[in-house]
Amino acid sequence: MTRTRVPPVLVTGATGRVGRAVAGLLTDAGLPVRALTHRSEPAADLPANVEVVTGDLTVPESLDAALRGVGAVFLLWTAPPATAPAVVERLAAHVRRVVFLSSPHQTPHPFFRQPNPLAVLHADIERLIAAAGLESTIIRPGMLASNALFWWAAAIRGDGVVRWPHGAAETAPVDDRDVAAVAARTLYQHGHAGGDYVLTGPESLSQAAQVSIIGDVVGRRIRFEELSPEEFRSETEGSWPRPAVDMLLAAWGATIGRPAYISSTVSAILGSAPRTFRQWVADHAAAFTEAPTQSG
Ligand SMILES: NC(=O)c1ccc[n+]([C@@H]2O[C@H](COP(=O)([O-])OP(=O)(O)OC[C@H]3O[C@@H](n4cnc5c(N)ncnc54)[C@H](OP(=O)(O)O)[C@@H]3O)[C@@H](O)[C@H]2O)c1
């Protein structure tokens, strides 16, 4: 008996937070995975049986080799927008199916409806995917729980004072592993073509409460010191892109006094409850207590 060879899934962003987990879960599910990186050095920490390929979203023709023989693509876009039309055109020339990591920019909650250049980019890419006739699933996570690493881990490891704006703003952080699990599921299980999934964590938590949960879990009292938006702009000057700062301030500011939007999509698709923020912190506690090692 001959077995049909299953074509690989090309995972973009495979060295990043969500894509790396997607690659691992697809491999666990028995699918061959091709992992895209635009860096020349070998990618660290990818499962051994993942085929690593080089290609750059800003150089569309560099993707041809990576796309050859692929059955589906997990697409996430962290590159500048200019080459998105040419890349989607190339995807459509090679595959029928794409799962795109977007954001909940259509969700009618003030947090998601503020001026946001990333949302504009996501909407543009979704339009390109639809116009190219690709069979798509759109994955729309709200705030990723892992943002806490970038935002607060250094301060928590340091003097234990988190200086941050809009402490009362509530979000429903979603565990990156749940986002990856939903994305992977839509690639190895039938029935998700045309799916449009807004993914959130299970609870609405103010930013100050999230910091306090981290303190609880690591057994350390963390002080939350409220910054005005202007103070936050000047503290992040030169180290954060200004559009990202403005986007976050607008979203947090607009949601003050309202609970975060919560969806039940993670449970509906995975058949298990989304992980709580406390669970995410417990599984990443070392990042809030130990200096990071140089890797990846
Ligand atoms: N943070 C949030 O709360 C949130 C919420 C909703 C949606 N999102 C979306 O999630 C996405 C980010 O996902 P993530 O956090 O998993 O990413 P990430 O950890 O920031 O990793 C970025 C990935 O993009 C790849 N990359 C960067 N430039 C590239 C290029 N020119 N060509 C090919 N690959 C390139 C990198 O791979 P190499 O460097 O190896 O090439 C890396 O794997 C964004 O689209 C963001 O808008 C984020």
Side-chain angles (χ1 to χ4, degrees):
M1 193 175 83
T2 50
R3 291 188 59 187
T4 322
R5 193 180 152 272
V6 179
V9 176
L10 178 68
V11 177
T12 68
T15 59
R17 294 188 270 185
V18 178
R20 183 187 300 277
V22 170
L25 290 164
L26 291 175
T27 304
D28 293 349
L31 283 187
V33 170
R34 222 174 252 180
L36 188 82
T37 176
H38 81 305
R39 290 180 272 175
S40 51
E41 77 271 22
D45 303 336
L46 283 164
N49 43 355
V50 162
E51 179 194 357
V52 179
V53 289
T54 309
D56 191 327
L57 293 168
T58 67
V59 186
E61 58 277 18
S62 73
L63 301 172
D64 285 342
L67 282 165
R68 208 158 290 135
V70 154
V73 173
F74 174 70
L75 178 66
L76 72 77
W77 198 280
T78 53
T83 51
V87 167
V88 173
E89 197 180 313
R90 271 192 143 78
L91 296 192
H94 288 269
V95 297
R96 277 196 57 223
R97 172 125 183 79
V98 62
V99 174
F100 176 53
L101 184 70
S102 183
S103 54
H105 54 84
Q106 299 159 332
T107 297
H109 183 287
F111 185 81
F112 299 121
R113 301 310 293 257
Q114 304 310 308
N116 181 338
L118 277 182
V120 172
L121 170 62
H122 290 153
D124 284 347
I125 295 177
E126 288 166 36
R127 271 191 292 276
L128 291 166
I129 288 171
L134 282 154
E135 185 185 285
S136 68
T137 308
I138 311 296
I139 308 285
R140 306 180 186 278
M143 276 291 177
L144 295 178
S146 63
N147 290 338
L149 291 175
F150 301 101
W151 294 347
W152 304 323
I156 290 172
R157 286 194 307 266
D159 60 4
V161 181
V162 169
R163 309 182 70 247
W164 205 252
H166 293 309
E170 298 192 21
T171 61
V174 58
D175 194 306
D176 310 28
R177 296 168 295 184
D178 288 331
V179 176
V182 169
R185 188 70 72 102
T186 68
L187 282 157
Y188 66 72
Q189 194 176 60
H190 288 294
H192 296 288
D196 190 312
Y197 301 139
V198 175
L199 308 180
T200 72
E203 25 174 19
S204 177
L205 295 166
S206 72
Q207 300 202 86
Q210 292 170 35
V211 168
S212 153
I213 287 171
I214 299 172
D216 252 20
V217 172
V218 301
R220 197 166 159 217
R221 195 178 163 277
I222 311 297
R223 193 154 60 80
F224 189 98
E225 195 177 303
E226 180 83 18
L227 293 185
S228 71
E230 264 329 303
E231 286 167 333
F232 186 62
R233 282 195 181 90
S234 78
E235 296 231 342
T236 51
E237 184 81 52
S239 54
W240 286 43
R242 186 60 181 261
V245 172
D246 288 341
M247 174 185 96
L248 285 166
L249 284 170
W252 289 324
T255 201
I256 295 285
R258 291 175 187 247
Y261 178 84
I262 293 179
S263 83
S264 54
T265 315
V266 170
S267 310
I269 292 178
L270 300 181
S272 55
R275 293 169 173 96
T276 62
F277 183 68
R278 185 174 289 271
Q279 179 66 53
W280 178 87
V281 177
D283 294 339
H284 296 82
F288 297 98
T289 55
E290 296 163 18
T293 53
Q294 291 297 319
S295 73

